[in-house]
Amino acid sequence: MMKNKVNKGRGAAILVVIALILAGLAYYASIILSSTGIGEDMSIKLGLDLAGGVSITYQVDDENPTSEQISDTVYKLQRRIEGYSTEAVVYREGEDRITVEIPGVTDANEILEDLGKPGSLEFQTPEGETFMTGDMVADAQAASYQNEMKNNEFVVELTLTDEGAAAFSEMTSANVGKNLPIVYDDQVISNPVVDEPITGGNAQISGMESHEAAERLASNIRVGSLSLQLSELRSNVVGAQLGSEAISSSLKAAAIGLIIVMVFMMIVYFIPGVAASIALAIYTCLVIATLYLFEITLTLPGIAGIILSIGMAVDANVIIFARIREEISSGKSVGSAIDIGFKKALSAIIDGNVTTLIAAAVLGMLGSGSVKGFASTLAIGIILSMFTALVVTRVILEAFYAVGLCSERLFGKGKELKPLRLVERRGILFAISLIVIVAGFVAMGVHGSNGNALNYSLDFIGGTSTTVPFDKDYTIEQIDSEMVPLVENVTGDSDIQTTQVQGTNQIIFKTRTLSLTEREALNKVFVDNYNVDENEIQSESISSAVSSEMRTDAVKAVLIAVVCMLIYIWFRFSDARFAVSAILALVHDVLIVLTCYAVVRISVGNTFIACMLTIIGYSINDTIVIFDRIRENLKLKKVKDSKSLCEVANISLTQTLSRSINTSITTFIMVFMLWLLGVATIRDFSLPLMVGLISGSYSSICVATQLWFVMKRRIGKKKISDAA
């Protein structure tokens, strides 16, 4: 129970301190935002799309490099440049060139030497002395075989050069039973034990836990053993791919959305809504400050993710306020209701956010490229939202209570609602989901017959890069409004990326792969409309910015994250059926969003990965809150048969319905404003997000609990008799 020692004077002092803290944070955040994009020290690092950076093109010096060598080198450079920025991109250009684009860098010379060196792979003695280098390995491949027990064992098979075979034979003969570590870029990537002398030039590293682990080690060894030498062909400072309008419109959307969410919270929750609005303002300022202090590179999808997190940040507050109203309705005083409300809401808030935080940690450790950047932003949002909801909101609420704002009318009462009969209607609800998902697969099948099930962007399938020298400088707005439509008339595709080469009048147009006839037609457009010298126009084929290795990394990271979430939910709820139901609901939402991409033909690019990851985090959080209430009600009510189990599920859904709807509304408001006011690129990101938010709410209310009910009734040691 709240203590009466907290007097009006102390409450007023706390409110004054909160106001001063908010004012200070707001001033600090305003300095950061006003400097961002201008180049001041006090500014957030921006990605290539918002601020530009350095573009470096390397020439492969070796003759006739294989496709595998080029692919491995691209992946190696991608992993290396993550030290500069997780939003950097690497892609193949032409047959024997590799281009690296790094945001937020203006001096190419400072990174040229480091990036141009192949990885340093060394085989060392137990004492740490190098006896063999990577260029003595001719090949490394993952393999598997069945041992005497008929179990699969995964290994990496090495093929050595003559020089390597001699060195390896000598060293393995002298170190039987000892470790010979394999070191790549000063990190031990494997530490195998020598079982016997290896003299034939072929070695095998056993004991790998999976085929994926064997593939990863083999790839690292191949990367480190590449004899490809890279030399700088050209380097340019490139401008932003999007204009300043992208930042200003996104900030405007965030400001308007934030105000609407605050007004909504105050109208619905009265005094608690005011406390939540103040905490939300503090949360927003803390996110901006954290991005700056931790030097996280911000791209347009990143801005969208932060705006989305602002909407989601009220979720914990909504859970708490719903609990407070329930306690007031049960006859508790406002002071007691606040205490009990925070305590009862704690488990749902912790489980929901920790589950998402686990996903962020796995994605950050195992993902690559933009996936790492997304994971960082997601983790920051989760931690700060929990802090502001559980600490800041509570301090403000208690201060309001202390100064005399303690009437029940200022907090509201929970209404006793008639239980919804959603579990009994599970057949209809499942059918609705199935119809929508099947429609998505049909759409993909129809478009797949034409060779493109989804509308993959340049980020995924590569295309053609056309560099055009103009006789004067053009703004990004002029490029988008005048030139891009002309290019679209030739390519028939709206997926066009433009970049300015600073210090010159050159503009790079990246389009889908063009035939020779289309390239000539595109050149003619520039010659006829802008008096360009056709001989100076350069066209090259470029690979995808999201390499197959990066896609594999993303898929593996997501799968492992899902498994970790499943294990956590299983552990916390002591029932695997909760975990399986939550994951199936998550898969449902991913498929619904995929249907949106397939039917509307939204471009599938880097933002696609960010969108899917966002939906995963949102969906699992929403479902956990309902499951937490089911867990609580199961302890209060004895379940004897299917009918009583059905009643518990329906009551739990009804009790959490207002929270699910209100959280969805606040989050939807933020994303809708982004769609309404954002530039074209961000609209392609916002639309599937809105679909995902609706799907996430639907699956939590209409799918997840129903799946749990079906499994609870039919699967397990104690099957429940049928009565529903």
Side-chain angles (χ1 to χ4, degrees):
M1 183 174 289
M2 290 183 63
K3 298 184 179 180
N4 294 323
K5 294 179 182 178
V6 182
N7 53 40
K8 288 187 177 182
R10 184 178 174 186
I14 290 173
L15 291 176
V16 170
V17 171
I18 292 291
L20 291 174
I21 291 174
L22 177 57
L25 286 172
Y27 176 72
Y28 184 65
S30 67
I31 294 176
I32 295 172
L33 290 178
S34 63
S35 300
T36 295
I38 301 175
E40 300 288 339
D41 290 335
M42 182 73 76
S43 64
I44 298 172
K45 293 174 65 177
L46 299 178
L48 280 165
D49 53 356
L50 298 176
V54 164
S55 174
I56 304 170
T57 300
Y58 293 101
Q59 176 72 52
V60 177
D61 295 335
D62 303 73
E63 293 184 5
N64 302 319
T66 66
S67 179
E68 187 180 51
Q69 287 176 319
I70 294 286
S71 177
D72 279 348
T73 303
V74 166
Y75 185 57
K76 176 197 71 175
L77 289 176
Q78 179 68 54
R79 302 299 298 207
R80 277 174 167 264
I81 62 176
E82 286 175 5
Y84 294 94
S85 171
T86 56
E87 303 299 336
V89 295
V90 184
Y91 54 88
R92 180 175 180 171
E93 183 178 326
E95 294 297 321
D96 55 359
R97 291 186 294 281
I98 298 173
T99 295
V100 177
E101 294 179 348
I102 306 175
V105 178
T106 56
D107 184 4
N109 292 326
E110 68 181 55
I111 56 175
L112 276 171
E113 182 180 353
D114 181 43
L115 291 180
K117 294 185 298 185
S120 172
L121 184 76
E122 298 175 345
F123 291 76
Q124 297 181 352
T125 65
E127 294 74 31
E129 297 179 358
T130 301
F131 69 88
M132 195 173 82
T133 54
D135 57 357
M136 298 180 187
V137 180
D139 192 21
Q141 295 292 336
S144 63
Y145 68 93
Q146 285 191 334
N147 59 22
E148 295 177 355
M149 303 296 294
K150 302 298 182 181
N151 295 322
N152 283 333
E153 289 202 11
F154 305 101
V155 300
V156 174
E157 296 179 342
L158 304 179
T159 303
L160 309 177
T161 63
D162 292 341
E163 183 182 3
F168 209 65
S169 175
E170 179 182 352
M171 196 54 59
T172 54
S173 298
N175 289 279
V176 174
K178 297 181 181 178
N179 295 83
L180 295 180
I182 303 173
V183 180
Y184 178 70
D185 275 359
D186 298 324
Q187 291 187 341
V188 176
I189 59 174
S190 182
N191 196 21
V193 177
V194 179
D195 293 330
E196 59 184 358
I198 301 172
T199 59
N202 293 303
Q204 190 180 84
I205 302 173
S206 59
M208 311 301 296
E209 63 269 23
S210 65
H211 184 73
E212 288 75 18
E215 284 279 13
R216 187 163 54 249
L217 178 58
S219 178
N220 283 334
I221 293 175
R222 287 200 308 270
V223 166
S225 64
L226 289 176
S227 57
L228 291 183
Q229 292 297 318
L230 305 177
S231 59
E232 179 197 357
L233 182 64
R234 60 179 180 271
S235 61
N236 299 304
V237 177
V238 295
Q241 296 170 355
L242 302 168
S244 57
E245 180 189 357
I247 299 178
S248 60
S249 63
S250 296
L251 291 177
K252 186 186 298 183
I256 295 174
L258 186 60
I259 292 171
I260 294 174
V261 168
M262 288 179 173
V263 172
F264 175 84
M265 291 294 291
M266 287 186 281
I267 291 175
V268 174
Y269 293 105
F270 313 140
I271 285 299
V274 175
S277 297
I278 297 171
L280 189 59
I282 292 175
Y283 167 83
T284 304
C285 295
L286 286 174
V287 168
I288 295 170
T290 305
L291 290 173
Y292 165 70
L293 293 172
F294 285 88
E295 298 185 344
I296 295 173
T297 302
L298 191 61
T299 62
L300 203 55
I303 291 178
I306 291 170
I307 293 174
L308 175 66
S309 73
I310 292 173
M312 292 177 66
V314 303
D315 178 55
N317 289 307
V318 171
I319 296 172
I320 293 167
F321 300 160
R323 286 289 194 173
I324 291 174
R325 285 186 168 182
E326 287 179 13
E327 295 304 317
I328 292 175
S329 297
S330 68
K332 301 287 194 310
S333 67
V334 171
S336 297
I338 292 175
D339 275 340
I340 298 171
F342 272 90
K343 290 176 182 176
K344 285 191 173 182
L346 187 62
S347 62
I349 294 171
I350 289 178
D351 285 340
N353 285 282
V354 168
T355 305
T356 312
L357 198 59
I358 288 172
V362 174
L363 294 171
M365 289 186 292
L366 301 180
S368 59
S370 59
V371 174
K372 278 185 178 289
F374 175 85
S376 301
T377 307
L378 178 62
I380 289 171
I382 293 169
I383 294 170
L384 291 179
S385 67
M386 288 181 68
F387 169 74
T388 52
L390 296 175
V391 178
V392 177
T393 300
R394 179 159 194 168
V395 169
I396 296 172
L397 261 185
E398 291 182 348
F400 279 149
Y401 181 85
V403 298
L405 299 174
C406 53
S407 171
E408 288 184 359
R409 290 177 299 174
L410 297 176
F411 285 78
K413 286 186 177 181
K415 296 179 181 179
E416 189 70 31
L417 298 175
K418 185 179 179 180
L420 300 171
R421 296 297 170 187
L422 293 175
V423 174
E424 289 90 335
R425 296 178 175 86
R426 57 189 177 276
I428 297 174
L429 299 174
F430 290 162
I432 293 172
S433 296
L434 189 61
I435 290 170
V436 175
I437 292 170
V438 169
F441 281 109
V442 169
M444 284 187 279
V446 171
H447 294 296
S449 63
N450 298 323
N452 203 357
L454 294 172
N455 183 23
Y456 292 107
S457 74
L458 302 172
D459 295 328
F460 274 76
I461 60 175
T464 299
S465 174
T466 305
T467 303
V468 184
F470 293 91
D471 57 2
K472 67 174 185 178
D473 192 23
Y474 289 90
T475 65
I476 293 178
E477 287 72 24
Q478 287 176 314
I479 296 170
D480 289 341
S481 62
E482 299 174 17
M483 299 181 187
V484 169
L486 294 174
V487 178
E488 288 179 357
N489 289 336
V490 175
T491 65
D493 185 22
S494 60
D495 184 21
I496 297 169
Q497 300 176 8
T498 60
T499 307
Q500 292 174 301
V501 180
Q502 293 185 357
T504 71
N505 293 328
Q506 292 182 338
I507 300 175
I508 301 172
F509 296 86
K510 295 177 183 177
T511 64
R512 65 170 177 79
T513 302
L514 303 179
S515 65
L516 180 60
T517 302
E518 289 172 327
R519 291 189 184 191
E520 291 174 349
L522 183 59
N523 291 351
K524 190 173 186 301
V525 166
F526 292 121
V527 171
D528 292 345
N529 291 277
Y530 296 97
N531 196 29
V532 173
D533 185 351
E534 185 172 6
N535 295 324
E536 294 184 5
I537 299 177
Q538 298 178 344
S539 296
E540 293 285 355
S541 297
I542 57 175
S543 69
S544 60
V546 182
S547 66
S548 59
E549 290 88 354
M550 290 175 65
R551 288 196 289 269
T552 301
D553 285 346
V555 171
K556 288 179 181 176
V558 170
L559 291 177
I560 294 174
V562 168
V563 170
C564 290
M565 288 190 290
L566 191 152
I567 293 172
Y568 177 80
I569 299 170
W570 187 355
F571 170 76
R572 284 289 291 160
F573 286 81
S574 302
D575 189 341
R577 288 164 290 203
F578 279 115
V580 174
S581 302
I583 298 304
L584 288 176
L586 185 154
V587 173
H588 164 278
D589 297 331
V590 169
L591 292 176
I592 294 292
V593 175
L594 200 61
T595 296
C596 173
Y597 274 99
V599 173
V600 185
R601 303 302 288 168
I602 298 172
S603 179
V604 176
N606 252 330
T607 57
F608 170 79
I609 296 176
C611 178
M612 287 300 185
L613 296 178
T614 302
I615 295 305
I616 287 173
Y618 179 84
S619 175
I620 201 74
N621 197 328
D622 204 16
T623 302
I624 290 296
V625 174
I626 298 175
F627 283 177
D628 178 78
R629 186 60 69 99
I630 292 175
R631 174 176 56 183
E632 179 181 324
N633 287 332
L634 284 174
K635 295 177 181 177
L636 299 175
K637 300 177 183 292
K638 289 186 177 181
V639 175
K640 299 179 180 179
D641 53 25
S642 181
K643 184 176 180 180
S644 58
L645 182 69
C646 182
E647 194 68 21
V648 167
N650 282 326
I651 290 173
S652 301
L653 282 170
T654 306
Q655 290 173 335
T656 56
L657 184 63
S658 64
R659 173 263 159 203
S660 297
I661 293 175
N662 289 341
T663 297
S664 299
I665 289 174
T666 56
T667 310
F668 189 88
I669 287 171
M670 296 299 297
V671 181
F672 176 75
M673 294 309 303
L674 196 64
W675 177 83
L676 188 65
L677 301 176
V679 296
T681 304
I682 205 64
R683 286 180 183 172
D684 283 348
F685 180 61
S686 303
L687 180 58
L689 264 183
M690 288 190 287
V691 172
L693 293 176
I694 295 171
S695 173
S697 298
Y698 178 85
S699 69
S700 298
I701 297 170
C702 303
V703 176
T705 302
Q706 287 75 359
L707 286 172
W708 170 82
F709 172 79
V710 171
M711 287 188 283
K712 180 74 172 177
R713 191 179 64 172
R714 298 183 181 278
I715 302 174
K717 293 181 179 179
K718 295 182 180 179
K719 293 183 179 179
I720 297 173
S721 61
D722 239 349

